[in-house]
């Protein structure tokens, strides 16, 4: 039965009023939510400003902008003329790489676009790379420059002559200079370029030869070299950047540090000319592998493991180890002067070719080079080989072939260079 009259109109008005009230309440909740969000943003902005995180945030945004810009750049391809001359050093960056030579420094994307070009004029140039930036410094002077993939971020003049630098993935910078009061001075700057701590080393502690930041930037590993009682001694220290007290991890008589690599925040790989060792973040030794007196001709700590090339003259051998220093492969290889470990293979630099082998030592292919290769880099963008003033990309052959494709200006972009299998 349908209701009529005043009572029906009253119920209709009540329903309409209820709807109106609910809408008003919703508007009130929305205003409160907006005010809360605005308040949180303002508080966060104040905290960021007061704690100095703003510089880190700006750097992160700049890195992101570079990454997007690099991804959108057109494919230039390889080979590319670097103009850097004889190669001193190559390092991987995010989606790109940096090559340092006698005539300067250049940064290229994996697609072949030149991103940065630096003419230094340094007598003894060197560089250390972080995730998306690197520090370029003069080992016979007092100037250093921190560069992103596309531009200079800042430069700094040190009080003493530079020995060594290291750069973290988050932008922290460690600088080693001479120290007139003792022997050497380690200075660490945070990502906002403010001095974080200093450490003066004595002759007992030695001169830093290798340094590396942990991935989270909380620790700095420092391998030093000194002399005691007529013997060469290498000391390994862990410097906790929050506590600031160096911890002596080990002293090795008769050993020279070749490389330091943090495999994770909890594992540090230290490679010497006599052995390799794995340490925990607390300084405990987790594993050790002796080299048996063989001469180290090259090494590559990458893709979760270690590849070491031994030999001199007419013979070479290789030892592959995983992240726990367990041996994956050990055997003889063609005579080579360099090695790079990839995710599923390792590569050898020979006098006129690049040789590829599986992680089990199985021969895969050869790429003949028109000039003597000086360095190479194996990363997610492919295998890049460097000669005087040139970088080329090698493309693995199709299944069933042993002829790898080498980028060449004298052929099409996928031009191949035939070669015979290694002896």
């Amino acid at each position: 039965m349908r209701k009529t009259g005043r009572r029906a109109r009253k119920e209709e008005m009540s329903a309409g009023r209820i709807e109106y009230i609910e809408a008003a309440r919703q508007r009130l909740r929305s205003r409160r939510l907006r005010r809360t969000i605005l308040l949180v943003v303002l508080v966060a902005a104040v905290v960021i400003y007061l704690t100095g995180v703003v510089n880190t945030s700006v750097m992160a945004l700049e890195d992101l902008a570079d990454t997007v810009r690099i991804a959108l750049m057109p494919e230039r391809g390889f080979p590319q003329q670097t103009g850097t001359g004889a190669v001193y050093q190559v390092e991987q960056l995010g989606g790109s790489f940096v090559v340092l030579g006698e005539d300067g420094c250049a940064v290229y994307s994996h697609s072949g676009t030149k991103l940065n070009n630096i003419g230094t004029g340094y007598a003894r140039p060197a560089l250390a790379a972080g995730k998306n930036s690197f520090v370029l410094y003069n080992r016979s002077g007092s100037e250093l420059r921190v560069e992103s993939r596309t531009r200079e971020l800042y430069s700094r003049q040190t009080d003493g002559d530079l020995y060594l630098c290291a750069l973290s993935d988050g932008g922290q910078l460690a600088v080693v200079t001479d120290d007139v009061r003792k022997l050497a001075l380690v200075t660490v700057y945070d990502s906002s370029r403010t001095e974080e701590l200093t450490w003066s080393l004595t002759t007992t502690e030695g001169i830093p030869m290798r340094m590396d930041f942990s991935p989270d930037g909380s620790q700095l590993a420092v391998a030093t070299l000194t002399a005691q009682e007529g013997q060469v001694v290498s000391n390994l220290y862990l410097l906790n950047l929050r506590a600031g007290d160096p911890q002596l991890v080990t002293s090795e008589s008769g050993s020279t540090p070749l490389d330091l690599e943090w495999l994770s925040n909890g594992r540090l790989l230290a490679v010497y000319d006599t052995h390799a060792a794995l340490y925990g973040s607390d300084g405990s030794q987790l594993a050790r592998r002796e080299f048996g007196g063989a001469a180290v001709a090259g090494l590559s700590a990458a893709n979760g493991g270690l590849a070491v090339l031994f030999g001199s003259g007419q013979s070479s051998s290789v030892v592959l180890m995983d992240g726990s220093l367990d041996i994956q492969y050990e055997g003889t290889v063609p005579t080579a002067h360099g090695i790079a470990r990839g995710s599923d293979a390792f590569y050898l630099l020979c006098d006129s070719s690049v040789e590829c082998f599986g992680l089990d030592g199985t021969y895969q292919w050869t790429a003949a080079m028109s000039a003597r290769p000086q360095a190479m880099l194996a990363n997610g963008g492919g295998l890049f080989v460097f000669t005087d003033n040139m970088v080329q990309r090698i493309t693995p052959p199709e299944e069933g072939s042993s002829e790898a494709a080498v980028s060449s200006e004298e052929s099409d972009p996928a031009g191949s260079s035939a070669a015979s299998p290694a002896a």
Side-chain angles (χ1 to χ4, degrees), residues 69-78 80 109-114 381 384 393 413:
R69 185 162 60 250
I70 292 170
L72 294 177
M73 285 179 174
E75 179 96 13
R76 298 295 182 187
F78 291 91
Q80 290 292 337
S109 70
H110 289 167
S111 63
T113 301
K114 180 177 281 190
F384 301 94
R393 181 164 56 192

Side-chain angles (χ1 to χ4, degrees), residues 284-359:
S284 60
Q285 182 172 289
L286 305 178
R288 183 182 177 101
R289 183 69 60 181
E290 299 291 338
F291 293 158
V296 177
L299 61 92
S300 174
N303 295 292
L306 174 65
V308 185
L309 175 68
F310 300 99
S312 58
Q314 300 301 314
S315 63
S316 294
S317 63
V318 164
V319 173
L320 300 183
M321 289 168 267
D322 61 17
S324 300
L325 296 188
D326 292 327
I327 293 181
Q328 295 175 293
Y329 169 75
E330 184 175 10
T332 58
V333 293
T335 302
H337 59 271
I339 189 169
R341 180 185 174 114
S343 58
D344 56 3
F346 69 92
Y347 310 92
L348 298 176
L349 280 184
C350 301
D351 285 340
S352 58
S353 66
V354 173
E355 312 285 342
C356 175
F357 295 82
L359 295 182

Side-chain angles (χ1 to χ4, degrees), residues 23-349:
R25 287 175 177 173
Q26 182 62 36
R27 289 194 296 270
L28 180 60
R29 284 194 294 267
S30 299
R31 285 197 297 269
R32 288 175 177 173
L33 180 60
R34 287 195 295 269
R35 285 199 298 267
T36 301
I37 293 174
L38 180 59
L39 181 61
V40 170
V41 170
L42 290 175
V43 171
V46 172
V47 171
I48 287 175
Y49 178 78
L50 293 178
T51 58
V53 179
V54 63
N55 288 329
T56 305
S57 302
V58 170
M59 289 178 61
L61 289 175
E62 290 177 343
D63 278 346
L64 179 60
D66 273 351
T67 300
V68 173
R69 185 162 60 250
I70 292 170
L72 294 177
M73 285 179 174
E75 179 96 13
R76 298 295 182 187
F78 291 91
Q80 290 292 337
Q81 294 284 343
T82 63
T84 59
V87 180
Y88 293 156
Q89 192 176 352
V90 294
E91 298 291 344
Q92 180 175 329
L93 301 171
S96 59
F97 55 82
V98 54
V99 52
L100 173 65
E102 62 181 352
D103 297 326
C105 183
V107 182
Y108 281 86
S109 70
H110 289 167
S111 63
T113 301
K114 180 177 281 190
L115 306 176
N116 201 349
N117 189 57
I118 308 163
T120 63
Y122 292 162
R124 299 179 62 209
L127 63 83
K131 182 179 180 180
N132 292 322
S133 58
F134 62 95
V135 53
L136 177 65
Y137 58 100
N138 186 8
R139 289 177 294 173
S140 62
S142 58
E143 181 182 85
L144 63 86
R145 301 169 56 167
V146 177
E147 302 272 344
S148 74
R149 290 168 289 180
T150 59
R151 63 195 177 282
E152 180 180 319
L153 298 177
Y154 65 92
S155 61
R156 184 183 295 275
Q157 291 286 336
T158 59
D159 293 333
D161 289 338
L162 285 162
Y163 290 156
L164 185 66
C165 289
L167 192 67
S168 76
D169 289 346
Q172 295 161 288
L173 174 66
V175 180
V176 181
T177 58
D178 60 358
D179 189 348
V180 295
R181 298 171 299 172
K182 293 186 178 180
L183 180 65
L185 177 67
V186 175
T187 305
V188 179
Y189 301 92
D190 62 22
S191 57
S192 61
R193 309 171 194 177
T194 303
E195 184 178 301
E196 191 169 357
L197 61 84
T198 59
W199 174 29
S200 292
L201 289 85
T202 65
T203 54
T204 301
E205 293 163 324
I207 296 178
M209 303 295 292
R210 297 288 186 270
M211 295 191 300
D212 194 39
F213 283 96
S214 61
D216 63 2
S218 65
Q219 292 201 84
L220 177 68
V222 182
T224 69
L225 201 62
T226 187
Q228 296 178 6
E229 299 178 354
Q231 281 192 320
V232 174
V233 176
S234 179
N235 296 322
L236 177 61
Y237 294 92
L238 288 180
L239 184 58
N240 190 311
L241 301 182
R242 297 188 179 101
D245 296 323
Q247 173 192 356
L248 177 61
V249 174
T250 184
S251 290
E252 302 284 347
S253 298
S255 297
T256 301
L258 301 180
D259 195 17
L260 285 180
E261 292 283 345
W262 285 93
L263 303 182
S264 67
N265 289 321
R267 295 186 304 154
L268 171 67
L269 175 64
V271 185
Y272 298 82
D273 59 345
T274 58
H275 68 281
L278 190 65
Y279 298 95
S281 58
D282 59 354
S284 60
Q285 182 172 289
L286 305 178
R288 183 182 177 101
R289 183 69 60 181
E290 299 291 338
F291 293 158
V296 177
L299 61 92
S300 174
N303 295 292
L306 174 65
V308 185
L309 175 68
F310 300 99
S312 58
Q314 300 301 314
S315 63
S316 294
S317 63
V318 164
V319 173
L320 300 183
M321 289 168 267
D322 61 17
S324 300
L325 296 188
D326 292 327
I327 293 181
Q328 295 175 293
Y329 169 75
E330 184 175 10
T332 58
V333 293
T335 302
H337 59 271
I339 189 169
R341 180 185 174 114
S343 58
D344 56 3
F346 69 92
Y347 310 92
L348 298 176
L349 280 184

